[in-house]
Amino acid sequence: MKRSLLLLLTLLLIAAMIPITGAAAAEDKGTPSDFAAEPALYVHAVSDSADSQAWQAWQSVHDEDFFVSKSNEKYFFLPSSAAENTVDVYNGYNEAVTLNGVSIAAQTTESVPYAADTAYTVTAAGENYTLKIMNSNAEGAIYINNPDADGAGTDLMSYLNADKSNSAQATGAIVTPDGKIDNTAVKKIKGRGNTSWAKPKKGYNITYDKKVSIAGMEKNKKYSILPNYQDDSLSRNRILYDLSDAVGLPYASDSRYVDFYVNGFYWGSYLMCEKVEPGSLVPEVTDDGYLNEDGSIKEDFAFIAEVDASATDGDYYVTTNNMKITIKAPEIDPGEPGYDEVKAYVKTKFSAFYSATSPTGNLSAVADIPSVAKLYLINELGKNWDSGVSSTFFTYRQDENGDYKFYGSPVWDYDNSLGNATGVRNELRNIGVTDYEEYTGWWCQHKGKSSATAKRSNNIIARISQNATVKNALPQIWFEKFMPALHHFSGAKIDREINTDLYTKDAYFDLINDSAAMNYESGWLINTGSWIADHSTLYKAQYDSATQKMVVDTAATHYDENFEDMYNYASDWMLSRAAWLSEQFAPNYVPSPLLGDADMSGAVDVIDVTAVQRHEANIVPLAEEAITRADVDKDGNVTIIDATCIQRYLANLPTAAQGIGKPIE
């Protein structure tokens, strides 16, 4: 008996060691959740995963109304996490299907080899299909699933898109290129946007059950997923958000290119962004920060305000100086403590801010000059159509001295920038702007004028641009913050380190190119209508620092209606616009003193080391105005240690002194 039992255990052990193949192995692979009820082939984002959420059904190319003309031509639009040559495919039909030589039994998952952009023939349910597989290179993929969003059997997107006020919970997956899957549930998803909501490719606000990271972003619960439907480069928001961060705007939304799937349907290439909310993006503002511990209203408190001409009765807003100001935070419902008091406080503070933006107003008393100047420059660089009209945010908070001031940002919504939009013709005629689509010409100061001859505008960004304190600060900010970042974006070598996640134009293109190919192949249009400017030709320009002039190419660059050319047009337009702005600011630019420039020559070199050494030896004392420049370790004294730090900087060796060679702020 013992020998029989021992033999049985040995046989079981041997059997356990034999690899399982065929249909038995398929049982270890995942299958789609209940959102995949329709007969179809489904592909998973990650090979050999038991996950049930990150699945996409094969689908046909659709038009802007989602009409399918060639239903027997199918696609798998794979995220960047998919393996290059093998995918897991689930057969949702009731009989076996063969794909590229692999037989997949009904309701079973199998690994299938493939080659991208190759058409395969498939027979399923008596129909012949062709299947083409495309791969993305985006930074992540977002899957959200709910086949019964309203409790009456309505799928999630049909329910959400019927009314922007509709919201629902969902399951889903956040997938990164390395194949990691986060199945944190979606607490709430609902539509977002004003004019963009009327477009077929829509945007949404997403709130997860807990804080999650999207492709390396700081963990947060709330995100906005933007369709960039009217932006044929799919990148204007991303580039200008990252540029804002590079020039030191305090609140620039972090973002990532992602592919977006809902209930197994690929919706296209999107931009996943930190939502404009208190918390990680604006840590100084909280929803209860206006209350004392005893529940009374504080005398002063921080808030986020948006200039938003489209605010409606359902929004939490005030009206002042003919502007609607939406209170983004603290967000208080009617009847809650402080509802009316907060509105009154915001109105009073914003009215004072508006008054101080007059040409001679003491703006520095109520606002942080560098940030409001940079916010203006971002809008001027892009010729942003919405500048000072909507999606224009200011944060009211304490500065380093404890004084409450307005800060420009968070930055938001730049798809109608960088030569993208034609604008509204009658408005442009009224304000006398004839070159809106060109990269030349001032823009923001004209926005909001009552007529072409009006001296001033009531638009808040226009007023900021004409304030004397801001105007005096602009040349230095432009040449010492914007131009180094823009040179970096262009791919040129720069002599100053860019402490930011701003990439080069080629790097952004590499991140989005394949995702864009899937987006436009799936059915979205490159040119979405008459609102989009002509992107076919551009005489590119560069700035010549020696002559302080813009140099325009003698031959035009021509752009075809494809993604690569449309992306290049947006980038080239921005860099040409920068050349024009540089020519305008150059006559009034006085370089800031450089840390380490002890001899005040305008450069940091070995002569500065000698100057510090001679000062230390009491041979030739430094002039008083040179002391701050020479004190690179910022200890209040100019010593041999400062000379050593400069030497190490010149030799490209590590040094404890930070900022040598950069303007002293």
Side-chain angles (χ1 to χ4, degrees):
M1 180 66 180
K2 289 182 179 180
R3 289 186 61 189
S4 299
L5 181 59
L6 180 61
L7 178 61
L8 177 60
L9 290 173
T10 302
L11 291 173
L12 288 173
L13 180 61
I14 294 173
M17 297 173 63
I18 298 174
I20 301 173
T21 59
E27 294 177 1
D28 294 333
K29 294 182 179 293
T31 58
S33 185
D34 56 359
F35 67 84
E38 296 297 322
L41 295 186
Y42 296 81
V43 65
H44 197 270
V46 180
S47 296
D48 298 320
S49 172
D51 168 73
S52 65
Q53 297 296 315
W55 290 89
Q56 184 227 334
W58 66 358
Q59 66 190 65
S60 300
V61 172
H62 58 81
D63 65 12
E64 298 276 281
D65 297 318
F66 295 94
F67 174 75
V68 172
S69 60
K70 298 179 179 180
S71 59
N72 284 53
E73 295 181 5
K74 300 292 186 180
Y75 286 81
F76 279 152
F77 297 112
L78 300 181
S80 54
S81 57
E84 292 184 358
N85 50 23
T86 305
V87 285
D88 287 352
V89 178
Y90 172 76
N91 176 13
Y93 290 96
N94 291 324
E95 60 275 335
V97 169
T98 299
L99 173 58
N100 195 21
V102 177
S103 178
I104 311 172
Q107 318 299 316
T108 302
T109 302
E110 293 286 357
S111 294
V112 178
Y114 78 97
D117 300 318
T118 299
Y120 297 99
T121 300
V122 179
T123 300
E127 294 285 334
N128 293 322
Y129 299 90
T130 60
L131 173 62
K132 182 179 178 182
I133 301 175
M134 298 182 69
N135 298 77
S136 174
N137 56 341
E139 294 154 288
I142 304 298
Y143 293 80
I144 295 181
N145 305 309
N146 184 343
D148 185 15
D150 62 351
T154 306
D155 74 274
L156 181 61
M157 286 303 242
S158 296
Y159 177 66
L160 294 178
N161 293 348
D163 192 317
K164 193 172 73 170
S165 66
N166 287 348
S167 65
Q169 297 178 332
T171 57
I174 302 164
V175 186
T176 52
D178 60 2
K180 293 180 180 178
I181 300 174
D182 183 340
N183 290 123
T184 299
V186 173
K187 181 179 181 180
K188 180 180 179 181
I189 178 172
K190 70 181 296 294
R192 65 159 309 280
N194 295 318
T195 57
S196 64
W197 179 250
K199 307 303 179 183
K201 187 185 180 192
K202 303 180 188 297
Y204 307 89
N205 287 329
I206 302 171
T207 302
Y208 287 94
D209 273 352
K210 65 180 182 181
K211 289 185 176 182
V212 295
S213 175
I214 308 293
M217 285 195 281
E218 184 176 345
K219 285 188 175 183
N220 209 337
K221 283 187 176 182
K222 296 184 178 182
Y223 292 89
S224 293
I225 190 164
L226 308 183
N228 291 322
Y229 170 76
Q230 295 188 116
D231 176 9
D232 49 24
S233 77
L234 301 175
S235 297
R236 284 173 167 88
N237 278 317
R238 173 70 178 273
I239 291 169
L240 288 178
Y241 292 170
D242 288 356
L243 178 62
S244 298
D245 182 55
V247 301
L249 272 161
Y251 313 114
S253 178
D254 201 4
S255 60
R256 297 290 186 273
Y257 297 123
V258 299
D259 295 298
F260 187 38
Y261 306 81
V262 178
N263 286 348
F265 186 85
Y266 174 68
W267 279 86
S269 183
Y270 276 68
L271 190 68
M272 195 74 159
C273 309
E274 286 184 285
K275 194 171 184 287
V276 176
E277 289 278 336
S280 62
L281 183 57
V282 189
E284 295 88 351
V285 181
T286 60
D287 276 332
D288 59 358
Y290 68 101
L291 292 172
N292 291 308
E293 290 186 4
D294 63 0
S296 60
I297 309 300
K298 289 182 178 179
E299 182 178 352
D300 284 304
F301 53 85
F303 61 82
I304 304 172
E306 176 191 6
V307 181
D308 183 9
S310 62
T312 65
D313 290 341
D315 295 317
Y316 187 37
Y317 77 96
V318 297
T319 301
T320 181
N321 303 103
N322 296 316
M323 293 183 296
K324 291 180 179 179
I325 309 299
T326 300
I327 305 168
K328 304 300 290 186
E331 189 173 1
I332 309 171
D333 293 328
E336 289 186 338
Y339 180 83
D340 292 324
E341 291 88 341
V342 169
K343 288 180 68 174
Y345 181 82
V346 171
K347 182 172 183 176
T348 297
K349 296 302 180 182
F350 207 93
S351 180
F353 173 46
Y354 179 90
S355 297
T357 59
S358 68
T360 60
N362 184 15
L363 187 56
S364 60
V366 297
D368 173 70
I369 296 300
S371 67
V372 296
K374 291 169 186 175
L375 181 63
Y376 154 65
L377 284 172
I378 284 288
N379 282 277
E380 188 68 73
L381 172 65
K383 278 194 170 181
N384 180 25
W385 180 260
D386 296 326
S387 175
V389 176
S390 65
S391 300
T392 303
F393 290 89
F394 296 93
T395 298
Y396 187 69
R397 65 165 175 85
Q398 288 177 296
D399 65 10
E400 63 275 10
N401 298 317
D403 298 322
Y404 278 88
K405 290 185 176 181
F406 281 92
Y407 286 75
S409 71
V411 292
W412 193 251
D413 195 10
Y414 294 113
D415 55 343
N416 286 326
S417 299
L418 303 179
N420 193 35
T422 60
V424 178
R425 296 301 182 187
N426 62 343
E427 180 179 336
L428 291 169
R429 284 194 300 269
N430 185 53
I431 62 178
V433 173
T434 59
D435 59 354
Y436 174 63
E437 298 173 36
E438 306 299 324
Y439 58 73
T440 54
W442 295 110
W443 166 242
C444 291
Q445 67 190 50
H446 300 295
K447 185 72 174 176
K449 281 185 175 179
S450 58
S451 68
T453 58
K455 291 184 178 181
R456 288 191 292 273
S457 167
N458 65 353
N459 179 288
I460 189 67
I461 297 295
R463 289 173 63 90
I464 288 171
S465 75
Q466 298 303 295
N467 176 264
T469 306
V470 170
K471 291 180 75 171
N472 288 336
L474 291 176
Q476 279 190 346
I477 292 174
W478 177 256
F479 280 105
E480 296 174 7
K481 296 295 184 181
F482 277 76
M483 284 305 291
L486 289 164
H487 277 308
H488 170 76
F489 173 79
S490 74
K493 291 184 178 180
I494 60 174
D495 58 3
R496 297 178 187 172
E497 182 181 353
I498 303 296
N499 295 320
T500 177
D501 290 330
L502 179 71
Y503 299 148
T504 65
K505 60 175 290 192
D506 290 343
Y508 283 114
F509 178 77
D510 289 343
L511 284 174
I512 187 65
N513 182 33
D514 291 342
S515 180
M518 296 195 330
N519 180 82
Y520 292 120
E521 183 72 17
S522 71
W524 301 120
L525 300 178
I526 285 278
N527 189 332
T528 57
S530 59
W531 176 255
I532 304 304
D534 179 10
H535 295 165
S536 62
T537 305
L538 193 70
Y539 285 86
K540 296 190 293 185
Q542 302 82 34
Y543 178 67
D544 184 345
S545 58
T547 63
Q548 297 186 343
K549 297 295 182 182
M550 175 180 70
V551 180
V552 181
D553 289 353
T554 56
T557 299
H558 298 283
Y559 304 84
D560 293 329
E561 200 169 278
N562 59 60
F563 172 71
E564 182 174 5
D565 279 12
M566 294 301 95
Y567 173 87
N568 285 333
Y569 182 92
S571 300
D572 294 341
W573 192 99
M574 180 173 74
L575 294 172
S576 299
R577 173 74 172 158
W580 185 85
L581 287 169
S582 293
E583 182 177 289
Q584 310 312 305
F585 289 129
N588 297 314
Y589 173 50
V590 178
S592 297
L594 302 179
L595 187 65
D597 182 19
D599 67 345
M600 299 188 294
S601 66
V604 178
D605 51 33
V606 71
I607 298 175
D608 297 302
V609 177
T610 302
V612 173
Q613 290 171 333
R614 290 166 69 87
H615 173 85
E616 171 69 7
N618 289 318
I619 298 173
V620 180
L622 292 171
E624 184 177 347
E625 59 266 33
I627 297 295
T628 301
R629 307 183 190 201
D631 181 21
V632 296
D633 66 355
K634 301 175 185 176
D635 68 349
N637 299 295
V638 176
T639 68
I640 198 67
I641 296 175
D642 297 303
T644 302
C645 288
I646 298 173
Q647 284 178 315
R648 295 183 66 85
Y649 164 77
L650 294 172
N652 289 317
L653 296 173
T655 174
Q658 301 298 311
I660 298 176
K662 296 182 179 180
I664 300 173
E665 298 184 6

